[in-house]
Amino acid sequence: MDAKSLDVVGMPRGGPNASWLSRRLQTDRLEYLDRDDVDELKRKVVRAIDRGGRRPRFGTYEKYARMALDEVSEHPAPKILELGCGLGGLSRKLLQLHPTAEVTVTDIDPTFVAEIAAGDLGSHPRATVRVMDATAIDAPDGHFDLAVFALSLHHLPPEPAAKVFDEGTRAAKKLLIIDVRRPSPPLHLAMLAAVLPFTRVAVIHDAAISGLRAYSPSALRVLAHHADPAISVDFRDHRTGPTVALACRQQSSAGPNTGAID
């Protein structure tokens, strides 16, 4: 492993210039979603997230779907890849909102994929349901107009997270990352103090850990640069809600980065 890889592996979730407090407001502890020994708790969390996403007025699925469709508005029939789809709610909303979009619905968990394939998305004429790893996308270069990775990047350590940028910008012309916003350290402390008494509730337990594992914008830029210095990252301005980043690779890319970042 070269020096650059070591730098990325050891990088704080708050970025290379993270403060003393920010560096302590992170954890290697896994969420229930990341564990293989708590299937019942994992499904409770997934169901809770799915219910929240489907809410008519405040649901995240429609909000995130519109963000994604804004990025492919120039395409009459965009090809969209959803990575880490969970139960497929975002992909379902993409298909509802765009009458000609083709969506490839994927997750690394074969149980989720099997459940989706057995439902409405499995028989949808514009949907393809597959098991796929976001760090090793099984698709030709530039096959998709857009890849979307929503509320999932924080689950990954820095090295595989950088691989998502590499693979996402290879297989798709654009990669849209929507992930948990990392609060400022003082606000983060206050939020943790408020939720810690309730972390026996599975979804609150995972939400607290998500905040501790979330990447800051500066950390996302380092991950993208590590994957390839030709990958640019632009942030969509949302004062509340998740961090929204769009990554694109310049056509003159020379390959994976092995040099230092300024």
Side-chain angles (χ1 to χ4, degrees):
M1 183 177 294
D2 59 27
K4 179 58 185 173
S5 296
L6 289 170
D7 288 344
V8 171
V9 169
M11 181 186 68
R13 297 286 175 127
N17 297 318
S19 68
W20 176 89
L21 182 55
S22 177
R23 290 167 187 262
R24 280 148 185 80
L25 288 171
Q26 66 179 54
T27 184
D28 292 327
R29 185 171 181 174
L30 298 179
E31 299 175 41
Y32 292 134
L33 283 176
D34 299 317
R35 293 169 56 180
D36 297 324
D37 60 335
V38 287
D39 286 349
E40 183 177 350
L41 287 172
K42 180 187 290 191
R43 296 202 70 77
K44 281 184 178 180
V45 173
V46 170
R47 296 293 182 191
I49 293 171
D50 186 63
R51 285 194 300 272
R54 288 187 282 106
R55 287 178 183 170
R57 290 185 62 190
F58 304 105
T60 55
Y61 290 151
E62 180 162 353
K63 179 180 178 182
Y64 297 169
R66 292 190 183 280
M67 289 179 184
L69 292 174
D70 282 346
E71 302 297 342
V72 291
S73 58
E74 73 275 19
H75 297 283
K79 292 183 177 180
I80 301 174
L81 168 67
E82 187 189 0
L83 301 160
C85 69
L87 296 179
L90 175 55
S91 287
R92 189 173 289 109
K93 185 58 68 173
L94 286 167
L95 291 163
Q96 289 174 1
L97 293 177
H98 199 297
T100 55
E102 298 177 12
V103 181
T104 299
V105 192
T106 73
D107 198 278
I108 197 172
D109 191 320
T111 303
F112 294 154
V113 173
E115 184 170 339
I116 295 168
D120 59 322
L121 287 176
S123 59
H124 196 288
R126 292 184 284 117
T128 301
V129 181
R130 296 183 57 189
V131 174
M132 194 177 291
D133 184 345
T135 68
I137 299 174
D138 183 15
D141 294 359
H143 181 73
F144 298 99
D145 298 304
L146 180 71
V148 184
F149 200 41
L151 301 183
S152 297
L153 192 73
H154 67 277
H155 292 285
L156 301 177
E159 192 69 29
K163 191 65 177 175
V164 172
F165 279 97
D166 188 24
E167 280 289 280
T169 58
R170 177 196 62 77
K173 300 177 181 70
K174 300 178 181 179
L175 169 66
L176 184 65
I177 299 286
I178 304 171
D179 205 11
V180 176
R181 182 182 294 272
R182 187 172 184 85
S184 65
L187 177 59
H188 203 167
L189 272 179
M191 293 169 63
L192 279 175
V195 304
L196 280 176
F198 307 101
T199 51
R200 289 189 177 183
V201 179
V203 70
I204 297 177
H205 169 276
D206 273 21
I209 294 177
S210 293
L212 294 168
R213 293 176 65 90
Y215 291 105
S216 70
S218 64
L220 294 177
R221 288 191 188 278
V222 171
L223 294 174
H225 188 277
H226 176 72
D228 189 330
I231 298 174
S232 63
V233 181
D234 295 315
F235 293 93
R236 299 308 187 230
D237 186 17
H238 297 279
R239 294 187 177 181
T240 60
T243 294
V244 182
L246 185 73
C248 302
R249 190 193 300 259
Q250 298 174 10
Q251 293 301 314
S252 60
S253 169
N257 176 41
T258 57
I261 185 171
D262 293 335

